[in-house]
Amino acid sequence: MGDKGLSVSRHPRSLGENRYVYAVLSRRAKGISIGINLNPDKICNFDCIYCQVDRTTPSELREVHEGELLEELESVLTRAKDGGLYQEPRFAAVPEAKRKLSDISFAGDGEPTSYQRFREVVSSVADLKERLQLHGLKIAVLTNCTLLDRPAVREALAILDRSDGEIWAKLDAGTEEYYEKVCVPGGARLAKILANILEVSRLRPVVIQSLFLALEGAGPSIEEIGEYCRRLQEIVLGGGRIKLVQIYTVARRPAVSSVTPLTDSQVDAIAEQVRRVTGLPAESFYGSSAWQE
Ligand code: SF4
């Protein structure tokens, strides 16, 4: 993949010669997010119909070499800190106001918590952040929540609690049926995801990230969004803390070609319903179908 310019509809998981660490202009992080890919083999325990990871071509890289990953991260963070990173050609089209480091994120080409040494990598990243004196820089974990009940993952989250960590918990449905349809989770149950979200959100406030889409032109039903709001209410009633609900839609080429973004007004209507029904803060992030042009 060439080193083309960044935009919110273009999220290459590459940066120069790097194999694990990349930079994206994130509409939700509102700046430059430094991504860590712990799933270079592109294997995920979900199979979301909107997934942007291109699994039609095999991955050239299967292993995570942690030393290399940390070297890449140190180099990128150092260049971001002194501003040198933004002088690189790929940042030329990024508006000046967005040329700022907004977070380090564990995202990549699969479920980051599925990496067997997730806790150890998290610990090393937190240490590196300290050493580079990037105090206050957020470390976000974008997760489908299936593995948050693993003891080692819980320990990793506890490390993040001490290092500006934030959990972005995926919740794309209110019913098992719709969840199966959109995330195709192959055995994982929505009930388990909800239980995991409740558990972690009792210990620290979490961000809920919810992608809604149109499938063959049809968005989620009114009933589905009603059920989704009830699931959020149940988390809060169970003692969970939700600091923000992100309602967003497709912005990059999805795995299934009949998936398209919701319109801006559809995204806003869901966010408004979340605010009205649950009293939680909700933010809209609009989509794009630029990949079709
Ligand atoms: S959980 Fe994330 S990486 Fe995995 S299939 Fe879904 S969108 Fe893709």
Side-chain angles (χ1 to χ4, degrees):
M1 186 182 287
D3 227 12
K4 295 178 190 157
L6 292 183
S7 71
V8 291
S9 59
R10 206 173 169 282
H11 271 202
R13 300 274 201 248
S14 63
L15 178 63
E17 299 299 312
N18 281 7
R19 304 207 295 170
Y20 307 104
V21 177
Y22 55 94
V24 292
L25 174 61
S26 165
R27 64 190 153 147
R28 289 184 288 147
K30 299 171 182 149
I32 302 298
S33 177
I34 304 300
I36 298 175
N37 185 7
L38 292 177
N39 308 91
D41 57 6
K42 303 197 221 175
I43 294 172
C44 187
N45 61 354
F46 266 28
D47 191 12
C48 302
I49 58 175
Y50 60 80
C51 187
Q52 67 183 71
V53 178
D54 177 10
R55 297 194 171 88
T56 58
T57 54
S59 172
E60 290 161 16
L61 185 61
R62 308 200 74 76
E63 309 265 303
V64 175
H65 296 280
E66 290 173 23
E68 199 180 321
L69 183 155
L70 291 166
E71 275 174 26
E72 289 179 7
L73 184 62
E74 178 162 358
S75 165
V76 173
L77 289 175
T78 304
R79 277 145 57 210
K81 201 176 162 189
D82 67 18
L85 184 70
Y86 310 124
Q87 306 311 315
E88 296 175 14
R90 61 167 31 218
F91 291 92
V94 175
E96 196 63 42
K98 295 197 169 156
R99 290 185 192 188
K100 59 173 195 237
L101 195 52
S102 61
D103 64 31
I104 299 170
S105 67
F106 286 95
D109 290 345
E111 169 55 31
T113 63
S114 68
Y115 178 58
Q116 286 303 325
R117 286 175 45 83
F118 179 65
R119 176 187 48 191
E120 287 78 3
V121 172
V122 161
S123 177
S124 301
V125 170
D127 288 349
L128 175 62
K129 201 190 87 167
E130 255 332 275
R131 186 156 60 75
L132 295 178
Q133 300 191 321
L134 289 165
H135 310 302
L137 179 65
K138 191 190 298 177
I139 305 180
V141 178
L142 279 63
T143 175
N144 64 24
C145 306
T146 44
L147 306 173
L148 298 183
D149 54 342
R150 281 187 179 173
V153 174
R154 286 191 198 167
E155 287 168 25
L157 299 183
I159 294 168
L160 289 173
D161 288 341
R162 300 188 289 274
S163 193
D164 309 292
E166 193 167 79
I167 300 169
W168 288 21
K170 179 194 289 295
L171 180 64
D172 296 336
T175 63
E176 291 279 359
E177 191 191 3
Y178 193 69
Y179 174 73
E180 285 278 336
K181 193 166 158 182
V182 173
C183 297
V184 200
R189 308 293 298 167
L190 177 60
K192 182 183 176 192
I193 272 67
L194 290 165
N196 283 351
I197 294 175
L198 179 58
E199 185 91 1
V200 298
S201 64
R202 279 176 172 157
L203 296 174
R204 82 282 285 164
V206 303
V207 172
I208 299 288
Q209 47 160 346
S210 300
L211 185 144
F212 292 104
L213 50 80
L215 183 58
E216 284 164 6
S221 67
I222 292 170
E223 293 76 22
E224 184 61 36
I225 298 302
E227 288 299 318
Y228 163 75
C229 288
R230 270 188 278 286
R231 300 296 87 77
L232 293 175
Q233 285 177 305
E234 285 161 6
I235 293 168
V236 174
L237 286 172
R241 284 174 292 159
I242 297 173
K243 63 165 95 164
L244 177 67
V245 181
Q246 298 177 339
I247 304 295
Y248 68 117
T249 190
V250 182
R252 292 175 287 282
R253 183 187 297 278
V256 171
S257 60
S258 54
V259 167
T260 49
L262 295 183
T263 63
D264 297 356
S265 59
Q266 285 173 307
V267 172
D268 282 340
I270 297 172
E272 175 52 29
Q273 191 170 339
V274 169
R275 284 190 285 269
R276 185 168 39 78
V277 174
T278 70
L280 292 166
E283 213 171 329
S284 300
F285 298 92
Y286 303 133
S288 163
S289 49
W291 75 86
Q292 292 175 320
E293 288 160 9

